[in-house]
Amino acid sequence: MALLQIAEPGMSAAPHERRLAIGIDLGTTHSLAATVKNSVAVCLADEEGRVLVPSVVHYRGDGGIEVGHAAVAAQPVDPRNTIVSVKRFMGRGLADVAHVETMPYVFEETPGMLRLRTVQGGKTPVEISAEILRALRARAEANLGGALAGAVITVPAYFDDAQRQATKDAARLAGLHVLRLLNEPTAAAVAYGLDNAAEGLYAVYDLGGGTFDLSILKLTRGVFEVLATNGNAALGGDDFDHRLYCWILDRARIAPPSATDTRRLQMKARAIKEQLTVSDEAPCQLRLDSGENVDLTVSREAFFEMTRPLVQKTLAPVRRALRDAGLAPQDIKGVVMVGGATRMPHVQRAVAGFFGQEPLTNLDPDRVVALGAAMQANALVGNRKAGDNDWLLLDVIPLSLGLETMGGLSEKIIPRNSTLPVARAQEFTTFKDGQTAMAFHVVQGERELVADCRSLARFELRGIPPMTAGAARIRVTFQVDADGLLSVAAREARTGVEASILVRPSYGLTDDEIAGMLRAGIERAGDDLAARALREQQVEAERALEATARALDADGGLLDAEEHARIAAAMEALRILIASGETARIAAGIAALARASEDFAARRMDRSIRAALAGHKIEEL
Amino acid sequence: MSVDLSLDYFTLFGLPRRFGIDEAALDRAWHALQAEVHPDRHTHLSSGERSRMMQEALRVNEAFATLKKPLTRAQYLLELLGIDAGIATNTAMAPEFLMEQMEWREAVEEARLASDIDALEQLALRLRMRAGEVTARLKEQLDGGNDPDAAADTVRRLMFLDKLRRETGDALSALDS
């Protein structure tokens, strides 16, 4: 492909002084690191030649910590202190996590985020992830023979701000300099696109252990432009294991198993799933600690049948992404398959059926993300040489960002699929006379009601000088950087009073999860719209009442007793209607109040014009 | 190179100040500018320089997002002419247009409640064609005529259509999942 030849600000002055940089795929079931050596991206292996590090951390009673294969061995023996799939907990409260009841852990719901109680004390998902990253860092430094200049860490494209922030925190905790958080499908597209000199529209279907992403990219002359991304941050290979585990429990008619037996059955389920990728059937034989015997055979057909709904579930985000990009399935030139779960034949069949073409499975779905991340790390750290490939990534934000406004509604400030970096400002004003502080609630998601979106942060702007309601001009600016991380600033225009925060996630919302957020939002759109209309009318009615009351206080003298009584009656009627919950009747009540006070308003207008001519500022009236 | 922040969006991308644009040229110009200002190109700079380049990257993306979509492009053109096409300053819309809007809206709602995907697909298609017609008229008015108020009226029509198309898309996404 014809690559961009641009001025080379990031090129190292002395090419032989290579700076050590790695790409890390921090996965749900396994993680790995890659680097660029002699212009070729390679995965880093341990002494035994193994590239994949199981994302398992074992906290031992003697204070030791094991990561990876050693920890896997401890799984059935010490399930409570052996944490698997920690990625599912990143940036999440306990209420957000599915299948908690089948997990052998002791959870602590502390303010901010969930913790797991281990023999070494309470551990946050950030700390546990940091252990995995530390192990990869050690492997890389041993392999490359020096300290790392930095790392690119990949995250699911559909990760929200809280999950991204948690990932970055984990990397910092592991002593890594984060060059960039990179979306997994985008990393895969870089590795695939550069290797194959691809041009045109591509979809990346990334079904990992715990997350699903679908990104649509346009590849042109070295530019990787993401047109749309969608996904489900709580759907992955783990869910297929869980389906099978439940099926085994059901078929074998065994009592709710102990923590150890649960873990052994889950490991068995995963092994069977993997075997069914190549075999037509797999035996399931296990003698449990409880003394019960499991002796079953799982056919490929039965497994496909029980997990078909999960496969179907991945197609909804595919359709949404295409719709957002304004494309049809036949517009896509190639579908790149990423993530170990895409090895399952029925997943490949479903994707082939949807797009009307065989997906591209010629790359290793476990490694391609880390390889792309390594290429990006190499470029960011300034190791490119003249003549090397040069490219540019233009990625997007997966979920809309907004602010809570009156009535619990989310006002979208930055819409989903905006290209990063992006900044948008919006003006807000005070609702009450003399209001000196304003509280902001930052949310992420597609739903109209704030209660249905993910709460990201709350902050206050204080010290607004007292003014009439509606007179203050508060400009709120949202800025999302290339990592997809949000910062928010608020400023009152007249006085220059400012408040700004780097959004630190408030995690623990009892939201039923980003997974179904968009879909649910749209499903409930009818309810949302009706609720929204009602709230808007209620807010409008309260505004009208407050404005009328204020006018009566100030200029009541312009009215005779009868006029006064008529307005008061219309106000009382409206107050009753607000509580009725009927949108149309409230609107009628507002109109009635407006009619009753028409003459009054005209007289006040006259007076204020005269006052303005006499040298007063009109805003004061 | 740095981007002159005072330039209007058309000049920024080297495009003539017209509604009808060469979309491929816009894409190319956007890519070329981002290749200069994107944060990935400046990891080696000091934090002060990085934040200055960040401002430029933000503006380039803002400019691109504005010119990419016909609706925002038209609004921006009118803004450059000193005309706010916003609904707040709306002069009365033609009754037959409002009637048409209501009919569209009812049809979308009906199809949504009946979970009728085919009907919604049909509506989406018809809305896209309608938006295409309105956009063509807008091009004549903005690039050919000299009646910006008429263009502002057409922009408001496009705003209505845009909203309807979004709602139809959302309803479709809800039904096919």
Side-chain angles (χ1 to χ4, degrees):
Chain A
M1 121 177 90
L3 288 153
L4 283 176
Q5 287 297 331
I6 328 172
E8 313 281 19
M11 228 172 59
S12 99
H16 56 279
E17 283 174 26
R18 204 168 67 91
R19 304 178 69 201
L20 304 179
I22 58 170
I24 293 179
D25 177 356
L26 182 61
T28 307
T29 44
H30 51 245
S31 303
L32 65 155
T35 193
V36 173
K37 286 182 181 171
N38 307 318
S39 299
V40 178
V42 291
C43 293
L44 300 174
D46 63 10
E47 307 82 51
E48 294 171 51
R50 296 175 300 197
V51 164
L52 301 184
V53 177
S55 299
V56 183
V57 177
H58 179 214
Y59 291 95
R60 291 196 329 212
D62 63 5
I65 298 174
E66 292 166 320
V67 176
H69 295 283
V72 171
Q75 265 193 87
V77 188
D78 188 11
R80 179 190 287 190
N81 297 304
T82 311
I83 321 297
V84 301
S85 298
V86 66
K87 190 172 177 178
R88 291 209 154 195
F89 305 142
M90 293 291 269
R92 287 289 173 257
L94 192 50
D96 302 320
V97 181
H99 312 313
V100 183
E101 67 286 350
T102 62
M103 293 176 185
Y105 315 123
V106 182
F107 289 99
E108 301 172 353
E109 179 85 279
T110 46
M113 66 178 94
L114 67 79
R115 278 167 190 273
L116 291 92
R117 193 183 305 155
T118 73
V119 68
Q120 295 186 25
K123 298 289 176 189
T124 64
V126 170
E127 293 167 282
I128 300 163
S129 299
E131 294 301 340
I132 301 168
L133 290 169
R134 220 170 260 137
L136 289 169
R137 179 182 155 210
R139 175 187 291 192
E141 288 182 343
N143 188 298
L144 300 173
L148 297 176
V152 166
I153 318 277
T154 62
V155 289
Y158 217 55
F159 255 19
D160 68 18
D161 194 84
Q163 295 167 306
R164 284 168 196 271
Q165 191 62 59
T167 304
K168 201 165 179 177
D169 290 348
R172 283 205 204 99
L173 207 54
L176 287 163
H177 170 59
V178 180
L179 298 164
R180 180 73 71 233
L181 295 180
L182 181 59
N183 289 330
E184 288 160 9
T186 309
V190 168
Y192 177 82
L194 293 178
D195 275 359
N196 296 276
E199 293 260 309
L201 294 168
Y202 282 81
V204 180
Y205 180 102
D206 182 354
L207 187 61
T211 59
F212 173 66
D213 285 330
L214 189 287
S215 287
I216 296 168
L217 291 100
K218 188 166 83 179
L219 277 53
T220 14
R221 296 182 305 276
V223 179
F224 294 80
E225 179 189 351
V226 180
L227 299 179
T229 195
N230 211 295
N232 185 333
L235 173 64
D238 276 8
D239 296 286
F240 289 73
D241 301 350
H242 186 75
R243 237 3 113 83
L244 184 51
Y245 160 81
C246 292
W247 184 89
I248 294 168
L249 284 192
D250 184 55
R251 285 303 162 102
R253 298 178 196 287
I254 45 182
S258 67
T260 301
D261 283 343
T262 296
R263 195 46 84 68
R264 291 175 62 210
L265 282 162
Q266 285 169 338
M267 290 169 78
K268 191 78 189 167
R270 175 178 300 178
I272 292 169
K273 173 188 75 175
E274 285 166 6
Q275 194 183 335
L276 288 175
T277 290
V278 289
S279 319
D280 288 337
E281 58 178 47
C284 177
Q285 283 153 350
L286 210 59
R287 184 171 173 80
L288 301 181
D289 286 354
S290 62
E292 290 166 294
N293 260 317
V294 178
D295 188 2
L296 297 165
T297 300
V298 188
S299 75
R300 185 187 256 195
E301 264 164 42
F303 176 66
F304 286 3
E305 195 51 42
M306 75 181 84
T307 55
R308 193 182 309 279
L310 295 173
V311 178
Q312 288 304 314
K313 223 170 155 181
T314 66
L315 295 181
V318 179
R319 285 188 287 257
R320 287 198 293 264
L322 282 169
R323 201 185 309 284
D324 281 354
L327 296 170
Q330 60 268 26
D331 295 330
I332 300 300
K333 190 173 169 188
V335 185
V336 179
M337 299 294 265
V338 182
T342 61
R343 286 199 179 88
M344 288 185 278
H346 61 324
V347 170
Q348 294 184 5
R349 264 208 312 276
V351 173
F354 182 86
F355 284 99
Q357 61 177 303
E358 287 305 315
L360 302 161
T361 50
N362 56 330
L363 20 81
D364 186 332
D366 289 325
R367 301 187 182 198
V368 62
V369 167
L371 293 172
M375 292 160 138
Q376 186 66 4
N378 191 57
L380 289 177
V381 88
N383 283 340
R384 276 183 302 111
K385 297 190 289 287
D388 278 359
N389 271 351
D390 187 14
W391 65 88
L392 176 67
L393 307 187
L394 298 170
D395 219 318
V396 301
I397 178 155
L399 290 153
S400 303
L401 290 162
L403 274 180
E404 176 170 354
T405 59
M406 294 295 300
L409 303 177
S410 162
E411 173 85 19
K412 306 269 188 295
I413 310 282
I414 297 182
R416 67 174 184 268
N417 293 323
S418 297
T419 303
L420 300 177
V422 61
R424 290 281 157 82
Q426 188 123 335
E427 281 205 342
F428 291 85
T429 189
T430 43
F431 182 62
K432 291 216 175 283
D433 284 348
Q435 187 177 339
T436 58
M438 240 179 148
F440 294 97
H441 182 200
V442 183
V443 297
Q444 187 161 30
E446 308 309 320
R447 300 280 292 271
E448 293 196 62
L449 297 180
V450 158
D452 300 325
C453 292
R454 174 156 293 277
S455 172
L456 288 184
R458 295 172 186 274
F459 72 103
E460 283 191 351
L461 179 65
R462 295 183 166 281
I464 304 169
M467 285 182 250
T468 317
R473 290 275 164 270
I474 290 130
R475 193 175 168 80
V476 180
T477 307
F478 276 42
Q479 182 172 321
V480 184
D481 64 17
D483 291 334
L485 291 172
L486 170 70
S487 54
V488 185
R491 186 172 197 275
E492 203 287 306
R494 300 182 178 194
T495 56
V497 174
E498 283 188 63
S500 70
I501 54 159
L502 189 66
V503 171
R504 297 300 294 187
S506 46
Y507 302 124
L509 249 215
T510 61
D511 195 278
D512 76 353
E513 217 15 81
I514 245 174
M517 215 183 249
L518 187 62
R519 179 176 44 80
I522 294 159
E523 269 167 7
R524 298 264 307 277
D527 292 346
D528 278 352
L529 290 175
R532 181 172 194 136
L534 173 61
R535 276 159 197 263
E536 275 172 0
Q537 282 304 325
Q538 286 170 332
V539 168
E540 192 56 41
E542 276 157 20
R543 259 187 213 285
L545 285 171
E546 203 175 296
T548 311
R550 205 165 55 222
L552 286 173
D553 276 355
D555 296 318
L558 295 170
L559 299 170
D560 64 28
E562 196 195 324
E563 290 167 327
H564 206 291
R566 210 171 58 231
I567 294 175
M571 289 174 72
E572 191 47 37
L574 183 54
R575 264 189 212 107
I576 293 165
L577 285 173
I578 288 178
S580 76
E582 289 177 53
T583 311
R585 292 183 66 201
I586 298 171
I590 296 170
L593 176 58
R595 276 197 305 279
S597 52
E598 221 164 30
D599 284 351
F600 179 41
R603 269 178 253 168
R604 290 189 70 224
M605 187 75 82
D606 279 353
R607 174 185 274 204
S608 57
I609 289 167
R610 280 199 302 275
L613 291 174
H616 294 284
K617 277 205 229 132
I618 213 150
E619 289 107 320
E620 290 170 1
L621 290 165
Chain B
M1 190 196 95
S2 72
V3 179
D4 184 346
L5 292 181
S6 65
L7 296 177
D8 79 73
Y9 296 167
F10 291 95
T11 316
L12 183 67
F13 292 121
L15 297 169
R17 193 189 285 190
R18 298 166 49 85
F19 180 72
I21 55 165
D22 177 347
E23 287 194 38
L26 173 63
D27 278 355
R28 276 197 304 274
W30 177 50
H31 289 168
L33 281 177
Q34 277 298 349
E36 302 293 335
V37 299
H38 192 277
D40 283 355
R41 319 294 289 186
H42 305 293
T43 43
H44 61 295
L45 295 181
S46 71
S47 75
E49 287 172 301
R50 279 207 310 272
S51 69
R52 196 176 57 81
M53 295 308 277
M54 179 67 149
Q55 292 313 309
E56 306 197 352
L58 291 169
R59 173 158 166 104
V60 168
N61 277 344
E62 173 68 26
F64 175 74
T66 304
L67 297 194
K68 180 81 176 169
K69 280 181 61 188
L71 176 59
T72 47
R73 184 164 72 240
Q75 285 169 326
Y76 182 67
L77 268 172
L78 289 173
E79 194 188 309
L80 291 176
L81 293 171
I83 295 166
D84 179 4
I87 221 73
T89 57
N90 191 1
T91 51
M93 300 292 292
E96 78 273 9
F97 177 75
L98 293 176
M99 193 60 79
E100 188 195 49
Q101 286 303 301
M102 273 176 54
E103 283 165 11
W104 282 114
R105 200 162 288 282
E106 279 164 16
V108 171
E109 186 59 13
E110 218 170 273
R112 193 182 67 78
L113 290 174
S115 302
D116 190 341
I117 290 179
D118 289 344
L120 280 169
E121 297 273 17
Q122 277 301 316
L123 280 164
L125 187 66
R126 281 172 56 207
L127 279 167
R128 190 161 74 226
M129 286 165 62
R130 191 84 181 85
E133 289 162 23
V134 175
T135 307
R137 173 144 34 102
L138 202 48
K139 184 167 183 296
E140 281 170 27
Q141 289 171 326
L142 284 168
D143 294 347
N146 50 4
D147 187 355
D149 290 330
D153 183 67
T154 311
V155 163
R156 282 189 287 272
R157 290 174 185 234
L158 199 54
M159 284 167 73
F160 275 108
L161 284 171
D162 205 58
K163 186 151 186 282
L164 254 172
R165 290 179 68 191
R166 262 204 317 275
E167 288 170 10
T168 311
D170 285 353
L172 264 174
S173 292
L175 288 176
D176 72 4
S177 57

